[in-house]
Amino acid sequence: MSPVLNRRKFLSYLGTGTAALAAAGAGLDGLVKTAEAKGLFHQPGRAKKPKYGPLKFTPIEPSTKDELVLPKGYRYDVIASYGDKINPKGDTFGFNNDYTLYFPMDNKKGRGLLWVNHEYVSDLFVFGRTIETGYTAEQINTLLYNQGGSVIEVYQDSKGWKMDPSSTYARRVTGLTPIDLTGPARGSAAVDGAVTVQGTFANYSGGRTLWNTVLTCEENFESTSKAAKLNQTHYGWVVEVDPFNPRFQIRKHTALGRFNHENTCMGLAKDGRVVVYMGDDKKDACVYKFISKGTYKPKAGKKNAKLLEEGVLYAANFAKGQWIPLTIEAVRKKAEGNSALLERFKTQADVLVNCHEAALLLGGTPTDRPEDVEISPFDGTIFIAHTNNDKHGNFHGHITRFYEKDDDHGALEFQFAIFAAGGIQSGFSAPDNLTFDEDGNLWTVTDISSSSMNTAIWTPFGNNGVFVIPTHGKQEGEAFQFASAPVEAELTGPCFTPDEKTLFLSVQHPGEETEDLAKPTSMWPHRNGDDIPRPSVVAITGF
């Protein structure tokens, strides 16, 4: 073994505590043995067994083209773009599509439902001009309608993937849709007594439940709720939708906390309780997990949704390697002598509505924009994309890996490692959404802001992209670029079909820096008849 201590390997084995520093003094061999002795390695063999095959593509180079660039042998089909009709009623596909989640139809190969989030709108492309003096009532309806989510029916034929606009399943969930509240905040003073609220918007990412519904997450809700004069405490929640059943009551689960939710990732504790991991996409924000009071019962089907109404929400304390319970008792004890805090936090509903403040008060660690959180289907470790934080000089972000004690998602202690760090040494910057493939590779998309892209320290990365990072073997932690986005776009919401022959992907905000409609900075997807760039969902094949 080389006497040179590989920093990436070092960080991938251990965190930044004294045990890591002591192990480093013994060289890499000593480090590995020390880590194994302390039980810091996660033991594989849980759930699925990865194939650990070679990369299935030849990596591409960074690009600045106004095109979705893919490796040789791969192609994409544009399935749906902003404004496209999705059903016979005439509902249209919303703006700035993001998270995607595919639900195959029983006994219908190559056909299924695709849930798609819609995060926010661009005034220029939606209204034809920038709104500076307040929205009219009609504009507010348009603003709210074009956010939320779309259920679309998609299918594959000999010519590729398409959307079926005659679908009886296709529908919109928008900022105008009535939605129930569940959990401790329902009907509480903390939400002004509301049991039902108007709509969902600012929908960034999400997750699949064990009972096959979608959890869509409200992230940067502040500007839309302010523009529409809506109560801000009604937004910033996790929202459950059943794509196949419009009669399933859409609900916001307040037990999961209110903050700038990026996504959810659901697993099971060893005792059968449901565990939901979540990130809060803000600078200096915490990583969370919710553990249900009750246990999951597969035969109960969609009735398991009740599990998300009662349980304990925790924030991660990285320094102690502990999950801190966010309870009203703990908050009020910590706030003793502070009349303003005691007035603010009277009930558990207050804790959940003001989750970010409560988490920091109780010792949750402020981190660098924790966005997507995913559980490895192979070893149960948890991967967290910390996108960046210029307040602390972390301009390129990193991916953290959590090792729960005893391999139990219900544990209240953990170790962590830096799995991969953004920067010119790795070829990527600002990791965001995550997913896995059958070979144990971690796929990540990047989120360099369009105003920074191709300037200063971000010049080497070109446009935003998709990167594949092996989690095992000689190339563990190394990033290989699979796709490059059009000009000023962000690639989001990667989701494979079950056979992993198709990857669904959102192309969000192409041409975002456009100031003059006569001179758009992008015209992707370059469709005949379009006079503006259009956010779109694509299906990538060739695997």
Side-chain angles (χ1 to χ4, degrees):
M1 180 175 287
S2 169
V4 177
L5 181 63
N6 183 298
R7 182 175 181 276
R8 176 182 58 77
K9 275 289 186 183
F10 170 73
L11 291 175
S12 71
Y13 287 131
L14 291 173
T16 55
T18 55
L21 298 176
L28 190 56
D29 281 331
L31 181 151
V32 173
K33 291 175 182 177
T34 301
E36 288 174 339
K38 289 182 176 293
L40 299 182
F41 284 165
H42 195 285
Q43 301 302 314
R46 187 190 221 183
K48 296 172 65 177
K49 184 176 181 180
K51 294 182 178 180
Y52 290 142
L55 290 177
K56 295 181 171 67
F57 64 93
T58 301
I60 67 170
E61 295 296 322
S63 170
T64 59
K65 294 180 180 178
D66 187 30
E67 183 54 271
L68 176 56
V69 181
L70 301 173
K72 184 178 181 180
Y74 291 79
R75 56 165 283 181
Y76 71 88
D77 300 311
V78 176
I79 296 177
S81 300
Y82 164 61
D84 289 353
K85 289 185 178 179
I86 66 170
N87 61 21
K89 281 175 53 182
D91 280 321
T92 56
F93 196 66
F95 202 76
N96 273 341
N97 38 258
D98 202 294
Y99 177 67
T100 70
L101 188 59
Y102 180 69
F103 294 83
M105 288 182 165
D106 293 339
N107 304 316
K108 292 185 178 181
K109 186 177 180 180
R111 181 177 285 267
L113 300 183
L114 191 68
W115 169 269
V116 185
N117 277 3
H118 299 291
E119 186 182 0
Y120 65 98
V121 305
S122 163
D123 286 357
L124 188 64
F125 295 135
V126 172
F127 301 115
R129 62 185 178 88
T130 300
I131 308 298
E132 298 176 349
T133 58
Y135 296 92
T136 66
E138 183 180 356
Q139 288 170 336
I140 288 173
N141 279 348
T142 300
L143 175 75
L144 295 173
Y145 179 80
N146 281 294
Q147 297 181 65
S150 291
V151 177
I152 60 175
E153 187 169 339
V154 297
Y155 66 97
Q156 186 181 30
D157 62 18
S158 60
K159 295 182 179 180
W161 282 92
K162 300 178 178 66
M163 177 177 65
D164 184 353
S166 68
S167 172
T168 57
Y169 291 102
R171 67 187 192 277
R172 290 296 315 282
V173 176
T174 75
L176 303 167
T177 304
I179 299 177
D180 279 0
L181 295 183
T182 75
R186 173 183 168 87
S188 71
V191 293
D192 288 345
V195 296
T196 301
V197 300
Q198 177 186 313
T200 180
F201 45 77
N203 303 76
Y204 194 96
S205 189
R208 189 192 302 268
T209 66
L210 295 169
W211 43 95
N212 211 34
T213 58
V214 62
L215 296 178
T216 175
C217 294
E218 298 174 339
E219 192 190 51
N220 297 316
F221 57 87
E222 294 88 350
S223 61
T224 296
S225 56
K226 183 179 179 180
K229 298 179 174 61
L230 295 169
N231 187 327
Q232 291 209 1
T233 66
H234 297 175
Y235 308 96
W237 302 104
V238 174
V239 187
E240 185 173 8
V241 180
D242 184 353
F244 283 103
N245 184 7
R247 294 183 298 278
F248 178 91
Q249 180 56 52
I250 302 172
R251 59 202 69 178
K252 299 191 181 191
H253 291 296
T254 69
L256 301 184
R258 173 179 168 268
F259 43 89
N260 297 104
H261 282 275
E262 170 78 10
N263 85 314
T264 69
C265 188
M266 184 174 287
L268 283 177
K270 285 186 175 180
D271 62 7
R273 291 176 296 165
V274 166
V275 180
V276 183
Y277 292 93
M278 297 168 285
D280 183 2
D281 185 11
K282 285 193 299 286
K283 298 173 185 178
D284 298 340
C286 298
V287 176
Y288 298 86
K289 80 172 176 182
F290 167 85
I291 304 178
S292 67
K293 180 179 179 180
T295 57
Y296 173 64
K297 295 177 174 56
K299 291 183 179 179
K302 306 291 170 62
K303 293 181 180 178
N304 281 295
K306 295 285 289 184
L307 294 172
L308 301 182
E309 299 180 16
E310 189 175 5
V312 179
L313 185 65
Y314 299 83
N317 182 311
F318 283 63
K320 295 181 178 180
Q322 295 177 354
W323 291 100
I324 309 299
L326 306 183
T327 65
I328 185 58
E329 294 80 12
V331 168
R332 288 188 65 82
K333 182 177 180 180
K334 189 74 172 180
E336 285 178 358
N338 187 322
S339 58
L341 284 176
L342 290 172
E343 180 64 25
R344 186 175 180 83
F345 293 102
K346 294 180 179 179
T347 67
Q348 185 63 25
D350 294 324
V351 174
L352 296 169
V353 168
N354 303 289
C355 199
H356 175 74
E357 185 179 355
L360 294 178
L361 179 69
L362 293 177
T365 299
T367 66
D368 296 341
R369 289 183 63 201
E371 294 209 49
D372 212 294
V373 184
E374 296 293 341
I375 300 172
S376 166
F378 309 110
D379 64 11
T381 56
I382 299 94
F383 289 77
I384 306 165
H386 287 92
T387 298
N388 53 34
N389 189 345
D390 58 2
K391 291 171 63 176
H392 304 304
N394 186 1
F395 296 102
H396 298 303
H398 59 276
I399 299 172
T400 305
R401 189 176 192 174
F402 266 40
Y403 300 80
E404 296 277 36
K405 185 177 180 180
D406 299 325
D407 300 343
D408 184 4
H409 294 311
L412 299 184
E413 297 179 30
F414 61 86
Q415 289 287 342
F416 73 94
I418 306 300
F419 171 69
I424 56 174
Q425 83 289 345
S426 61
F428 69 89
S429 177
D432 196 336
N433 301 148
L434 307 171
T435 194
F436 290 89
D437 67 22
E438 65 183 3
D439 290 312
N441 298 315
L442 180 70
W443 290 62
T444 183
V445 296
T446 61
D447 184 14
I448 303 170
S449 69
S450 56
S451 60
S452 298
M453 199 180 299
N454 293 301
T455 67
I457 61 172
W458 294 277
T459 302
F461 307 101
N463 296 346
N464 278 312
V466 177
F467 293 82
V468 179
I469 310 176
T471 63
H472 177 84
K474 293 181 179 180
Q475 296 176 321
E476 179 185 337
E478 296 182 21
F480 302 89
Q481 187 163 1
F482 174 81
S484 177
V487 168
E488 295 159 7
E490 178 187 352
L491 301 177
T492 63
C495 173
F496 284 103
T497 53
D499 62 8
E500 293 196 8
K501 291 184 178 180
T502 298
L503 175 68
F504 295 106
L505 192 68
S506 282
V507 181
Q508 190 187 92
H509 59 70
E512 185 175 44
E513 295 299 307
T514 296
E515 297 179 354
D516 182 350
L517 283 177
K519 300 177 181 178
T521 57
S522 168
M523 276 303 296
W524 192 89
H526 306 289
R527 300 192 308 183
N528 292 333
D530 280 346
D531 56 3
I532 59 170
R534 293 185 183 271
S536 307
V537 168
V538 302
I540 298 172
T541 52
F543 294 92

